[in-house]
Amino acid sequence: MVTYICLPKILKMRYIKIYVVVALFLVSCKTTKETTYQAKEQSVPVVQNTSNIQGGMWIPSLLEGMNEREMQQLGMKMTAKDIYDVNNSSLKDAIVHFNGGCTSEIISPKGLLLTNHHCGYGAIQSHSTVDNDYLKDGFWAKTIDAELPNSGMTVTFIKRIDDVTTKVFEGVTEGMDEALKMKQIAKNISKITKNAQKEDWQDASVKSFYKGNQYLLFVTETFKDIRLVGAPPSSIGKFGADTDNWMWPRHTGDFSMFRIYADANNRPASYSKENVPYTPKHYLPISLDGVEEGDFTLVFGFPGRTNEYLPSVAVDQIVHVLNPAKIEIREKALAIVDKYMRSDAEIKIKYASKYASIANYWKKWIGEDQGIEKSKAIEKKQNLEKEFSKKISAKELVGYKTLLSDFEKLYKEIERVSLARDYWIEVAYRNVELLNATFRAYQVEQAYKRGGVQAFEKARESVLNRYKSFYKNYSKIVDKPVFEKLVKLYADKAPKEYVPSNMEGVDVKTLTKSIYETTQFTSFKNISELMSGTAEEVMHKLNEDKAYVFGKELHRMFFEKMNPEYQALNLKIAAIQKKYMKALMEVFPNKRFYPDANGTLRVTYGQVRGYEPKDAVYYNTTTYLKGVMEKYIPNDYEFDVPQKLQKLYESKDFGPYGENGKMPVCFIGTNHTTGGNSGSPAIDAEGNLIGLNFDRVWEGTMSDMNYDPAICRNIMVDIRYVLFIIDKYAGAKNLIEEMTLVHPKK
Ligand code: ARG
Ligand code: ASP
């Protein structure tokens, strides 16, 4: 799961809540357009065979024209208006962006929120100590007073979505150069957001769709008092951990619960004892009837980022150049962190969240590479490109003639700097914590250089704030060997022109020793001391610190060389990609086009379906508690099973949640999901909650670049397992009583 936010360009890391305002990090989303694409007018073709339905992440406000018929064909009993309506309550009022990176849904009239265990993980960790370990033992608030506040946590509702494409392109003409176009677009967007009709406590933002061919305005409402209500022990919520991650068959009860608090007027407010549980416009009823193969499913949430329309050259580069480098770096870091986590209980808690986050995409990239290879995605794209070329020369669409060769040229040009940039992100930003800390200090120095003492003071305050949470979970013992391994890797393998001179031919072992012996960057106490004094004094002390001096060269390399070069090329690529997107839709009017994920609210739908991962093997749709017991390894790090759960299994004490004497745990479907969809509700044909999305299957992790309906499946926890754990395992009947349980099939 990755969080991708276009504007403002912010890199937000999951689990560790670190937001870095590096205005320059991400693939630019700002692309331009001169003629507007009206997605409303195109509806997806109706097919005879529902197993042919090819995924897609659709815009909730445009379902009526585009998808309603197809959805009903698949078994849906609702109308598009039941899903999204501005004037009446609809499903969308129960769907909440959770802390910027996951999805959650409201399941009671008192603002009770359901999301994944791995989405609440950082919060659960932050309330845990070795003696009172909620990650290990779980947490259940048996009364409202016992619910735990989480500083900094937010959830966001979508109030309204408007198409503002025409306004965004006002004053933008074909002849303008890219930078100028972007300036004009940014100007228009800021005007649109400023003038958007909304209440004082609401926000407005504009997002780009179809690679910059369409723009939508979102009016949102963000709540800031979110409290932890319940979480199962990790042996349920994270059962199977990294071994089972991205895999089917799966047996994880990946859920946790929170509650939204509001002020006396039911509006957003910062944490206060006086706040009360939020009263939602809509909450999801919960079906006790379960699912079977072929049932309609709808997943409603906030997918982060996909890249379905990349040219073959780009996919080739990701699979053969960028992913392998990132996989190697993370593999080395993870092996070290894992070793220390296994031997020290305190380190295990400190690094639990960080480890999970790093391991998650490490494994995803491996699956993605294999899936792209196996599904022959590059060849498929090449064939499409051949057909595209034929069609445009037949139609004499001269404007599109050089698109593919432009891609080829530009991707060749950007390759080395893309790779270098990934080395910097993975080594200096994500995995070596000491270097991340020096990066923040580097920002303070830059602020001082640019804005003098005032800017310095402001930057120092914000950095010290970050350091406070950062060092709470820092261990020099773990970080030092990571530094040594990864700095060596960078020096040896990053493209030479992007290796700073202080890294060339250096003896990394000696360097590591001398840095970690003397630096002030390894504890909050020391770094606060270093950061105290006048701006001049701090600058002096910083530039005497060996870690800082070393890190600074790497960060300078990033900001002064890598990133400007990367951004300049990327701007050109984005312009071509925008044109290519438009061209594809024009040249293949009967193909299915949906906008790539961009962190906005989307509807995806499909059916409960098994799949064939390889010849002669068929994977069923549903797993059961029996399978948990089959995987059980006493006292294991990943596969231990709590005694109470074993007892419930043996006595078959499943209450109203079991099915023919069995307890369903997870199921899969053909819904097209990605990172950010975690915690999304799986909804039945009538709008009831049937499951909680949390993952995808190994063979289909390449769906972000090549959705293949034959093998791409999303994984959901059966809602009955969630209820069983809350009720029978945790005894939290107070929570069950808040919910509305229904029997739509009976
Ligand atoms: N793969 C899922 C997603 O991308 C679940 C990740 C959490 N679990 C883990 N073992 N890291 O977020
Ligand atoms: N596990 C992902 C998430 O956290 C979902 C996915 O990538 O399928 O959003």
Side-chain angles (χ1 to χ4, degrees), residues 292-505:
E292 51 190 291
E293 184 139 21
D295 277 0
F296 174 81
T297 54
L298 180 159
V299 173
F300 207 173
F302 293 84
R305 186 177 177 188
T306 56
N307 262 313
E308 303 288 344
Y309 308 104
L310 286 178
S312 58
V313 282
V315 178
D316 196 320
Q317 188 169 88
I318 291 171
V319 170
H320 295 115
V321 181
L322 305 179
N323 277 355
K326 294 192 290 187
I327 291 166
E328 184 184 13
I329 296 167
R330 289 199 176 190
E331 196 157 279
K332 297 231 147 71
L334 286 167
I336 295 168
V337 179
D338 180 65
K339 191 178 96 193
Y340 288 99
M341 280 174 78
R342 281 177 195 264
S343 62
D344 183 318
E346 201 185 317
I347 289 180
K348 183 172 170 185
I349 294 180
K350 279 184 169 179
Y351 279 79
S353 198
K354 288 186 271 192
Y355 183 91
S357 168
I358 300 291
N360 192 34
Y361 263 63
W362 160 74
K363 192 164 178 187
K364 151 113 198 277
W365 292 323
I366 296 174
E368 185 170 87
D369 277 6
Q370 289 180 10
I372 294 280
E373 212 69 66
K374 212 176 139 190
S375 67
K376 299 199 174 12
I378 296 174
E379 264 174 72
K380 269 200 252 167
K381 283 198 182 273
Q382 284 167 342
N383 290 338
L384 177 96
E385 287 160 12
K386 269 186 210 141
E387 210 182 315
F388 174 80
S389 300
K390 254 195 238 151
K391 290 208 178 205
I392 56 167
S393 52
K395 288 191 176 169
E396 296 189 20
L397 292 167
V398 185
Y400 300 148
K401 236 186 147 149
T402 61
L403 285 176
L404 292 170
S405 55
D406 287 346
F407 269 138
E408 202 166 319
K409 193 179 122 253
L410 284 166
Y411 274 102
K412 220 171 255 160
E413 244 177 278
I414 206 172
E415 183 163 302
R416 285 179 75 83
V417 69
S418 280
L419 180 62
R421 194 169 160 274
D422 278 347
Y423 269 98
W424 184 86
I425 291 174
E426 289 299 320
V427 174
Y429 182 75
R430 286 217 70 159
N431 286 292
V432 181
E433 295 173 272
L434 186 80
L435 290 175
N436 180 290
T438 63
F439 162 68
R440 298 187 188 291
Y442 176 76
Q443 289 182 304
V444 177
E445 183 169 6
Q446 293 306 105
Y448 179 50
K449 277 194 181 145
R450 264 183 272 117
V453 174
Q454 227 180 350
F456 164 80
E457 293 293 354
K458 221 174 127 197
R460 170 165 66 184
E461 195 192 321
S462 112
V463 155
L464 280 174
N465 247 331
R466 289 188 199 291
Y467 281 152
K468 203 181 267 167
S469 47
F470 176 88
Y471 284 105
K472 238 177 89 184
N473 290 325
Y474 179 81
S475 161
K476 179 175 161 177
I477 299 170
V478 180
D479 191 41
K480 190 177 159 195
V482 174
F483 178 100
E484 188 176 327
K485 255 282 175 323
L486 298 200
V487 167
K488 177 102 178 65
L489 203 62
Y490 189 114
D492 290 347
K493 294 203 168 171
K496 287 288 159 278
E497 64 275 32
Y498 301 101
V499 177
S501 54
N502 68 350
M503 261 171 128
E504 274 170 37

Side-chain angles (χ1 to χ4, degrees), residues 622-638:
T622 308
T623 60
Y624 296 91
L625 196 53
K626 176 173 168 262
V628 172
M629 294 313 298
E630 281 171 6
K631 286 179 178 173
Y632 171 41
I633 306 173
N635 299 319
D636 183 69
Y637 193 72
E638 301 184 301

